[in-house]
Amino acid sequence: MAIVLGAIADDFTGATDLANNLVRGGMRCVQLIGVPERRLAALVADVEQIDAVVVALKSRSCAAEAAVHDSLRALEWLRGEGARQCFFKYCSTFDSTDEGNIGPVSEALLERLGAPCTVMVPAFPLNGRTVYQGHLFVGDRLLHESGMQHHPLTPMHDADLVRVLARQSRHPVGLLAWQTLARGAEAARERLAELAGRGVRQVICDTLDERDLAVLAEAAVELPLVTGGSGLGQALPAAYRCQGWLAARREAGALAPVSGSAAVLSGSCSQATLAQVDAFLTRYPGFPLDPISLAEGPEHLAQALAFARRHLAGGRPVLIHASAAAERVRRAQQALGRERAGQVVEHALGQLAVALLEEGVGRLVVAGGESAGAVVSALGVRALRIGEQIDPGVPWTQATLDGREAPLTLALKSGNFGGEDFFLRAVESLPGDAARSGNA
Ligand code: ADP
């Protein structure tokens, strides 16, 4: 069966979030890191078993021109794989500026696809992101009072998304209001057609709850392009099944059997991760990485590796972490500079990942968005098959690596995700355990 959905995500964790929701909706999904040089069949073992592909870009905060260029490359690649519908995924808080990148990218994709119009559905009601009369709410706050007005790269000072998007777009922007949505998918489709007839190319869609998402997915299922947050990804699989494009499936997140020992690498200093580190250390050994010692020479890294080797040989999972409380982070940053401190840690985590695989680690948990990026790139991971979620938004994944027979099982967690016992559960349970115990 051919690829039903080809998605282009504007950042890595957003891509995982979408892929996770697609799997939960019953689609077998692969996440790609950047636009591949090779065809999908060369990247995954079972290409005919894939329903959706999510290409992760880094296009949220770069120059609009570069975002458009990368997104069009991704689109061409996905079209080459036969994707039936294209999905441009951005953040549920519509992270962008007056220069872009949401408007320029979606207009360029529309143009390339020869499509008249698309829906804009950032809402994720399960996470408190809703849209009413085009205004985005985070919980009970309007977007510009939600804390997003202080975002370092994309501060959001306006909650009216029709206005926000119009400032970054060349063509008129419209609204599909809740009052129309409440009359069902047919009424929504008629409204979209009417707006398209008036030259509107992007339509901000109200969304209050899951039911609205389902209506929107049904109304938009035949559009060449849909855009939005990961919430829409939760509703699309059911719409595809209604079309007969997707078979009903219970185990879309099934992965290959896991082999090898387990290790955790953490470069996140978020509150959630610090608590997860503490919880792990109550039961298993851990080695604290010190950025200043790492910068002095190779010895500190060698010690960390020797520590890991010793415990792994004894059959115990280990944690190696640069995660530290604010005071220690500040000290490292004062000594090395903020950027270099980060680079030194990320480089060390990447080297450790490579060395740990050589030691027989087959299941690797990585905490921190940038840290996960560094590890994935050091290992040469290009594609991740998405499994069941361990905690909301964090799925098990598997990567096929050159020169390695069994797939590597990975859990990549961005800073604030996961419960306090996340690391413990990730080393003590296996992908598929939740399904087997009926908790998926
Ligand atoms: P999060 O997802 O929590 O933001 P990231 O990995 O994206 O985590 O970012 C954390 C950054 O902090 C990384 O660049 C990492 O290298 C850096 N870092 C981690 N530990 C330390 C430390 N002890 N001192 C200074 N910088 C650190």
Short mmCIF file of all heavy atoms in Angstrom, two decimals, residues 224-260:
data_model
loop_
_atom_site.label_atom_id
_atom_site.label_comp_id
_atom_site.label_asym_id
_atom_site.label_seq_id
_atom_site.Cartn_x
_atom_site.Cartn_y
_atom_site.Cartn_z
N PRO A 224 -4.99 18.59 -1.26
CA PRO A 224 -3.61 18.14 -1.45
C PRO A 224 -2.72 18.50 -0.26
O PRO A 224 -1.78 17.79 0.06
CB PRO A 224 -3.15 18.90 -2.70
CG PRO A 224 -4.41 19.32 -3.38
CD PRO A 224 -5.45 19.49 -2.32
N LEU A 225 -3.05 19.64 0.40
CA LEU A 225 -2.22 20.10 1.53
C LEU A 225 -3.10 20.44 2.73
O LEU A 225 -4.10 21.15 2.58
CB LEU A 225 -1.45 21.36 1.12
CG LEU A 225 -0.62 22.04 2.23
CD1 LEU A 225 0.61 21.20 2.59
CD2 LEU A 225 -0.17 23.44 1.81
N VAL A 226 -2.73 19.94 3.90
CA VAL A 226 -3.31 20.42 5.15
C VAL A 226 -2.17 20.95 6.00
O VAL A 226 -1.01 20.55 5.82
CB VAL A 226 -4.08 19.32 5.92
CG1 VAL A 226 -5.30 18.88 5.15
CG2 VAL A 226 -3.18 18.13 6.22
N THR A 227 -2.48 21.86 6.92
CA THR A 227 -1.42 22.38 7.79
C THR A 227 -1.96 22.48 9.21
O THR A 227 -3.16 22.61 9.42
CB THR A 227 -0.94 23.79 7.36
OG1 THR A 227 -1.78 24.79 7.95
CG2 THR A 227 -0.90 23.96 5.86
N GLY A 228 -1.07 22.39 10.18
CA GLY A 228 -1.52 22.52 11.55
C GLY A 228 -0.55 21.95 12.56
O GLY A 228 0.62 21.67 12.24
N GLY A 229 -1.06 21.76 13.78
CA GLY A 229 -0.28 21.18 14.87
C GLY A 229 -0.47 19.67 14.88
O GLY A 229 -1.11 19.11 14.00
N SER A 230 0.07 19.02 15.93
CA SER A 230 -0.01 17.56 15.94
C SER A 230 -1.43 17.09 16.26
O SER A 230 -1.76 15.94 16.02
CB SER A 230 1.00 16.98 16.92
OG SER A 230 0.79 17.52 18.19
N GLY A 231 -2.28 17.99 16.81
CA GLY A 231 -3.67 17.62 17.11
C GLY A 231 -4.40 17.14 15.87
O GLY A 231 -5.13 16.14 15.91
N LEU A 232 -4.18 17.80 14.75
CA LEU A 232 -4.85 17.40 13.50
C LEU A 232 -4.39 15.99 13.10
O LEU A 232 -5.16 15.21 12.55
CB LEU A 232 -4.54 18.41 12.39
CG LEU A 232 -5.20 18.15 11.03
CD1 LEU A 232 -6.73 18.15 11.14
CD2 LEU A 232 -4.76 19.19 9.99
N GLY A 233 -3.13 15.68 13.42
CA GLY A 233 -2.59 14.36 13.11
C GLY A 233 -3.31 13.25 13.86
O GLY A 233 -3.33 12.10 13.41
N GLN A 234 -3.91 13.61 14.96
CA GLN A 234 -4.66 12.64 15.74
C GLN A 234 -5.97 12.28 15.04
O GLN A 234 -6.48 11.18 15.18
CB GLN A 234 -4.94 13.35 17.05
CG GLN A 234 -5.47 12.59 18.20
CD GLN A 234 -5.77 13.63 19.29
OE1 GLN A 234 -4.88 14.08 19.98
NE2 GLN A 234 -7.03 14.02 19.38
N ALA A 235 -6.52 13.25 14.30
CA ALA A 235 -7.85 13.05 13.70
C ALA A 235 -7.79 12.53 12.27
O ALA A 235 -8.75 11.93 11.79
CB ALA A 235 -8.62 14.37 13.73
N LEU A 236 -6.68 12.73 11.57
CA LEU A 236 -6.63 12.37 10.15
C LEU A 236 -6.75 10.86 9.88
O LEU A 236 -7.45 10.48 8.93
CB LEU A 236 -5.34 12.92 9.51
CG LEU A 236 -5.38 14.41 9.15
CD1 LEU A 236 -3.99 14.88 8.75
CD2 LEU A 236 -6.38 14.68 8.01
N PRO A 237 -6.10 10.00 10.68
CA PRO A 237 -6.17 8.57 10.33
C PRO A 237 -7.61 8.05 10.19
O PRO A 237 -7.90 7.30 9.25
CB PRO A 237 -5.42 7.88 11.48
CG PRO A 237 -4.45 8.92 11.95
CD PRO A 237 -5.17 10.22 11.80
N ALA A 238 -8.52 8.49 11.07
CA ALA A 238 -9.90 8.02 10.97
C ALA A 238 -10.52 8.49 9.66
O ALA A 238 -11.27 7.74 9.01
CB ALA A 238 -10.72 8.53 12.17
N ALA A 239 -10.19 9.73 9.25
CA ALA A 239 -10.73 10.24 7.98
C ALA A 239 -10.18 9.42 6.80
O ALA A 239 -10.90 9.13 5.85
CB ALA A 239 -10.38 11.72 7.82
N TYR A 240 -8.91 9.02 6.88
CA TYR A 240 -8.33 8.19 5.82
C TYR A 240 -9.02 6.82 5.75
O TYR A 240 -9.24 6.27 4.68
CB TYR A 240 -6.82 7.99 6.03
CG TYR A 240 -6.00 9.26 5.96
CD1 TYR A 240 -4.88 9.42 6.78
CD2 TYR A 240 -6.31 10.28 5.08
CE1 TYR A 240 -4.11 10.58 6.72
CE2 TYR A 240 -5.55 11.44 5.02
CZ TYR A 240 -4.46 11.58 5.84
OH TYR A 240 -3.70 12.72 5.79
N ARG A 241 -9.33 6.27 6.93
CA ARG A 241 -10.00 4.97 6.94
C ARG A 241 -11.37 5.07 6.28
O ARG A 241 -11.76 4.19 5.53
CB ARG A 241 -10.11 4.43 8.38
CG ARG A 241 -8.82 3.74 8.84
CD ARG A 241 -9.00 3.00 10.14
NE ARG A 241 -9.19 3.90 11.26
CZ ARG A 241 -8.18 4.43 11.97
NH1 ARG A 241 -6.94 4.12 11.70
NH2 ARG A 241 -8.45 5.25 12.96
N CYS A 242 -12.09 6.18 6.56
CA CYS A 242 -13.41 6.38 5.93
C CYS A 242 -13.29 6.44 4.42
O CYS A 242 -14.17 6.00 3.70
CB CYS A 242 -14.04 7.69 6.42
SG CYS A 242 -14.77 7.53 8.02
N GLN A 243 -12.18 6.97 3.93
CA GLN A 243 -11.96 7.07 2.48
C GLN A 243 -11.56 5.72 1.88
O GLN A 243 -11.44 5.60 0.67
CB GLN A 243 -10.82 8.06 2.17
CG GLN A 243 -11.08 9.49 2.54
CD GLN A 243 -12.04 10.16 1.59
OE1 GLN A 243 -13.18 10.41 1.95
NE2 GLN A 243 -11.61 10.43 0.38
N GLY A 244 -11.22 4.77 2.76
CA GLY A 244 -10.72 3.48 2.27
C GLY A 244 -9.25 3.52 1.91
O GLY A 244 -8.74 2.64 1.24
N TRP A 245 -8.54 4.57 2.37
CA TRP A 245 -7.11 4.70 2.04
C TRP A 245 -6.22 3.95 3.04
O TRP A 245 -5.04 3.76 2.79
CB TRP A 245 -6.67 6.18 2.07
CG TRP A 245 -7.35 7.04 1.06
CD1 TRP A 245 -8.17 6.64 0.05
CD2 TRP A 245 -7.25 8.46 0.97
NE1 TRP A 245 -8.60 7.72 -0.65
CE2 TRP A 245 -8.05 8.86 -0.13
CE3 TRP A 245 -6.58 9.44 1.70
CZ2 TRP A 245 -8.18 10.18 -0.50
CZ3 TRP A 245 -6.71 10.76 1.32
CH2 TRP A 245 -7.52 11.13 0.23
N LEU A 246 -6.80 3.62 4.18
CA LEU A 246 -6.00 3.07 5.27
C LEU A 246 -6.78 1.91 5.90
O LEU A 246 -7.97 2.05 6.18
CB LEU A 246 -5.79 4.18 6.32
CG LEU A 246 -4.91 3.92 7.51
CD1 LEU A 246 -3.46 3.80 7.07
CD2 LEU A 246 -5.04 5.06 8.53
N ALA A 247 -6.07 0.78 6.12
CA ALA A 247 -6.74 -0.35 6.75
C ALA A 247 -6.80 -0.13 8.26
O ALA A 247 -5.94 0.54 8.82
CB ALA A 247 -5.95 -1.62 6.44
N ALA A 248 -7.83 -0.69 8.89
CA ALA A 248 -7.92 -0.62 10.36
C ALA A 248 -6.79 -1.47 10.92
O ALA A 248 -6.51 -2.57 10.44
CB ALA A 248 -9.26 -1.14 10.81
N ARG A 249 -6.10 -0.94 11.92
CA ARG A 249 -4.92 -1.65 12.43
C ARG A 249 -4.79 -1.41 13.92
O ARG A 249 -4.97 -0.29 14.38
CB ARG A 249 -3.68 -1.09 11.72
CG ARG A 249 -2.49 -1.99 11.74
CD ARG A 249 -1.38 -1.42 10.88
NE ARG A 249 -1.81 -1.04 9.54
CZ ARG A 249 -2.00 -1.89 8.56
NH1 ARG A 249 -1.79 -3.17 8.75
NH2 ARG A 249 -2.38 -1.47 7.38
N ARG A 250 -4.49 -2.46 14.67
CA ARG A 250 -4.41 -2.27 16.12
C ARG A 250 -2.99 -2.01 16.58
O ARG A 250 -2.77 -1.34 17.58
CB ARG A 250 -4.99 -3.49 16.84
CG ARG A 250 -6.52 -3.49 16.74
CD ARG A 250 -7.14 -4.47 17.69
NE ARG A 250 -6.72 -4.27 19.06
CZ ARG A 250 -6.58 -5.26 19.93
NH1 ARG A 250 -6.80 -6.50 19.57
NH2 ARG A 250 -6.22 -5.01 21.17
N GLU A 251 -2.02 -2.53 15.85
CA GLU A 251 -0.64 -2.42 16.37
C GLU A 251 0.24 -1.62 15.43
O GLU A 251 1.28 -2.10 14.97
CB GLU A 251 -0.07 -3.80 16.61
CG GLU A 251 -0.80 -4.51 17.71
CD GLU A 251 0.04 -5.55 18.41
OE1 GLU A 251 1.19 -5.78 18.01
OE2 GLU A 251 -0.47 -6.14 19.36
N ALA A 252 -0.16 -0.38 15.16
CA ALA A 252 0.62 0.45 14.24
C ALA A 252 2.00 0.76 14.82
O ALA A 252 2.92 1.08 14.10
CB ALA A 252 -0.13 1.73 13.93
N GLY A 253 2.13 0.66 16.15
CA GLY A 253 3.39 1.01 16.80
C GLY A 253 4.25 -0.21 17.12
O GLY A 253 5.19 -0.11 17.92
N ALA A 254 3.95 -1.36 16.50
CA ALA A 254 4.75 -2.57 16.80
C ALA A 254 6.16 -2.40 16.27
O ALA A 254 6.36 -1.93 15.15
CB ALA A 254 4.09 -3.78 16.15
N LEU A 255 7.16 -2.74 17.09
CA LEU A 255 8.56 -2.62 16.68
C LEU A 255 9.22 -3.99 16.68
O LEU A 255 8.66 -4.97 17.19
CB LEU A 255 9.31 -1.69 17.65
CG LEU A 255 8.86 -0.23 17.67
CD1 LEU A 255 9.63 0.56 18.72
CD2 LEU A 255 9.02 0.44 16.31
N ALA A 256 10.42 -4.06 16.12
CA ALA A 256 11.18 -5.32 16.11
C ALA A 256 11.60 -5.66 17.54
O ALA A 256 11.67 -4.77 18.40
CB ALA A 256 12.41 -5.15 15.23
N PRO A 257 11.90 -6.94 17.81
CA PRO A 257 12.35 -7.31 19.16
C PRO A 257 13.59 -6.50 19.55
O PRO A 257 14.44 -6.21 18.71
CB PRO A 257 12.70 -8.79 19.03
CG PRO A 257 11.98 -9.26 17.82
CD PRO A 257 11.83 -8.08 16.90
N VAL A 258 13.68 -6.17 20.84
CA VAL A 258 14.79 -5.34 21.33
C VAL A 258 15.92 -6.23 21.79
O VAL A 258 15.70 -7.25 22.44
CB VAL A 258 14.30 -4.47 22.51
CG1 VAL A 258 15.45 -3.69 23.12
CG2 VAL A 258 13.20 -3.53 22.03
N SER A 259 17.15 -5.85 21.43
CA SER A 259 18.28 -6.64 21.91
C SER A 259 19.29 -5.70 22.58
O SER A 259 19.22 -4.49 22.40
CB SER A 259 18.94 -7.36 20.73
OG SER A 259 19.31 -6.39 19.77
N GLY A 260 20.22 -6.27 23.35
CA GLY A 260 21.29 -5.48 23.95
C GLY A 260 20.91 -4.85 25.28
O GLY A 260 19.77 -4.96 25.74
#
